Amino acid sequence: MNRYIAIIIAALTATEMQAFQLAPRLVVNITIDQLRTDYIEAFSPLYCQGGLRKLFAESIVYDAASYPYAPVDKASAAATLSTGTTPYYHGIVASKWLDRSTLRPVFCIEDSKHYLSPAKLATSTVGDEMKISSNGTAIVYSVAADPETAILSAGHAADAAIWIDGKTGKWRTSTYYGATPPAWFKAYTSISTQSIKDKTATNDAIVDMSLQVIKSTAMGKDDTSDMINITLAATQPDGTAVTDWKTEMESVYMRLDKTLEKLIEGIEKEIGKENALFVITSTGYATETVANLEKYRIPTGTFYINRTANLLNMYLSAIYGQGMYAEACFRNQIYLNHKLIEQKRVSISEVLNRSQEFLVLSSGISDVYTSERLLAGNNDILKIRNGFNPNLNGDITIEVTPGWRLLNEDTQETFTSRSGFVPFPIIIYGAGTKPQRITTQVTVDRIAPTIAKSIRIRAPNACSAAPLF
């Protein structure tokens, strides 16, 4: 009998050891700006063996991924992927928003003390939780072409966020993560002095730096899981919108494919395929050329938000007495003067309701969302509510009619409303994952809790989404 008990104990011990070994030593969290499934598939015959072709053959691939809020931009996407929640909670509603106290635009990572930092990110990230659970021994880095994606991917407790300075083309980091950069960083940048201003080489430069980070910091060399966040781009080198996808994007995706092959092979050679977990997805939006819709007799027009704010002032003044009720407008949002409304002894709810009733009658507006309407929330406006933050966004958000162009004549900011779906995947590769293709729709806020589960730590503190598996 004792012999059988010993066999059972040995089997259980082996199972526990196997489960322990499944925890990846290195999480490689890759975000590819404007990556699209339709473009990936269109150019698939041109790929090499070790890049996108390998990923789609050997990974868990979720075909239908999306963001659980709107609108999406690069900064809000980076914050959502790292925190596992939406701008409603993490506070990064866009790259820029209007500061209510100064009525001037603020950059999402600006910091008076450190110049740039994650101070405006209101919740913890996966990297932060890794640091907490390991008592600070986990190694967490982020590498990107721009500071906002680097910093918002890295989080508060990372060892460093590294990006390419837009003016000098040289590598930079923030004093927030340390008074001086790491010694290896100084050594690497002193040797690699060439300016990275050739946009076609940016992805390769990011991969080279990422591999240097992994090697110099000995990532993935012990039983404590580490993480590197890497942001690449599937866009034209000059960042312009696509006019002819076939001729313009073919070379982009072929270069991206080779870059991914270089990254995967470099990491697998350094720490082994079984020790690395790759998680790859997109920022979930696309920059497109604004077509001349009038030429094709498609309904269009221009909606002037500054003129609309002036008309709203006249309307509210006629009801409540003279005053500047619409204090400012930024992009598609109008900010009301709460002090004036309070002085007039009028409830903000009444002003918002009257404003909505007035504005929704204007040409070029398909809907008007007040802050109270968004805070009440329902399934019909859930995505817009999730992208809203009551401390940062305007009191009134205007949804422009599809095809119409919104223009602020005071700032010359403009955009065209388009509600098109951008298809993109979530790809999970390595660390013992078995190939699988999943067509069920999933949202990207589930990536953070999936990573947390794989390395046996708690999810970020505002993350309520379930892991993907």
Side-chain angles (χ1 to χ4, degrees), residues 189-418:
T189 52
S190 65
I191 296 170
S192 178
T193 56
Q194 187 175 358
S195 175
I196 311 167
K197 288 191 175 181
D198 180 2
K199 296 298 183 182
T200 60
T202 299
N203 279 351
D204 286 329
I206 291 169
V207 165
D208 289 341
M209 173 57 84
S210 300
L211 292 173
Q212 186 64 43
V213 169
I214 293 167
K215 183 178 180 180
S216 298
T217 62
M219 278 186 159
K221 296 296 186 180
D222 58 26
D223 292 334
T224 301
S225 296
D226 304 316
M227 182 164 70
I228 183 164
N229 302 282
I230 303 169
T231 304
L232 303 174
T235 58
Q236 295 192 92
D238 58 3
T240 57
V242 176
T243 55
D244 183 345
W245 71 270
K246 179 65 172 68
T247 57
E248 294 174 2
M249 300 309 293
E250 181 179 289
S251 61
V252 169
Y253 275 74
M254 287 178 67
R255 287 196 303 269
L256 175 64
D257 176 55
K258 291 179 180 177
T259 300
L260 287 169
E261 180 183 49
K262 180 180 180 181
L263 177 63
I264 294 167
E265 287 184 351
I267 292 174
E268 289 184 346
K269 182 179 179 182
E270 184 70 23
I271 67 167
K273 178 181 177 179
E274 70 282 359
N275 294 320
L277 178 69
F278 292 81
V279 182
I280 303 153
T281 194
S282 170
T283 50
Y285 70 96
T287 303
E288 299 180 353
T289 299
V290 179
N292 183 357
L293 299 183
E294 290 180 351
K295 178 182 177 181
Y296 301 99
R297 292 176 290 185
I298 298 171
T300 186
T302 300
F303 173 77
Y304 300 93
I305 192 165
N306 57 308
R307 297 183 190 180
T308 301
N310 291 335
L311 287 172
L312 179 61
N313 265 325
M314 294 171 62
Y315 171 72
L316 295 176
S317 293
I319 298 172
Y320 302 117
Q322 289 297 313
M324 185 65 73
Y325 293 89
E327 197 170 25
C329 51
F330 184 73
R331 293 180 180 166
N332 65 331
Q333 299 168 38
I334 295 175
Y335 292 74
L336 297 181
N337 188 333
H338 286 236
K339 289 184 178 179
L340 175 63
I341 293 169
E342 187 177 336
Q343 289 171 3
K344 297 287 185 178
R345 298 182 182 278
V346 182
S347 74
I348 188 68
S349 296
E350 181 183 334
V351 174
L352 287 171
N353 288 335
R354 285 186 178 272
S355 298
Q356 182 179 1
E357 292 169 359
F358 174 75
L359 292 171
V360 80
L361 300 174
S362 303
S363 298
I365 293 181
S366 62
D367 208 342
V368 176
Y369 303 99
T370 65
S371 54
E372 288 196 346
R373 182 184 172 193
L374 289 171
L375 287 171
N378 56 53
N379 290 334
D380 295 333
I381 60 172
L382 188 59
K383 286 193 75 169
I384 296 171
R385 177 187 182 272
N386 287 341
F388 168 83
N389 185 288
N391 298 318
L392 305 174
N393 287 100
D395 299 283
I396 299 167
T397 300
I398 293 173
E399 186 176 300
V400 181
T401 302
W404 277 60
R405 182 174 70 111
L406 182 145
L407 174 64
N408 187 329
E409 294 169 302
D410 298 331
T411 63
Q412 291 304 304
E413 281 191 309
T414 181
F415 75 87
T416 299
S417 176
R418 186 179 178 90

Side-chain angles (χ1 to χ4, degrees), residues 123-143:
T123 66
S124 71
T125 65
V126 175
D128 295 339
E129 297 297 338
M130 289 176 73
K131 284 287 189 180
I132 294 168
S133 67
S134 67
N135 198 26
T137 60
I139 304 168
V140 179
Y141 273 83
S142 182
V143 185

Side-chain angles (χ1 to χ4, degrees), residues 57-69:
E58 300 180 21
S59 306
I60 301 173
V61 180
Y62 294 85
D63 286 327
S66 64
Y67 279 75
Y69 66 92

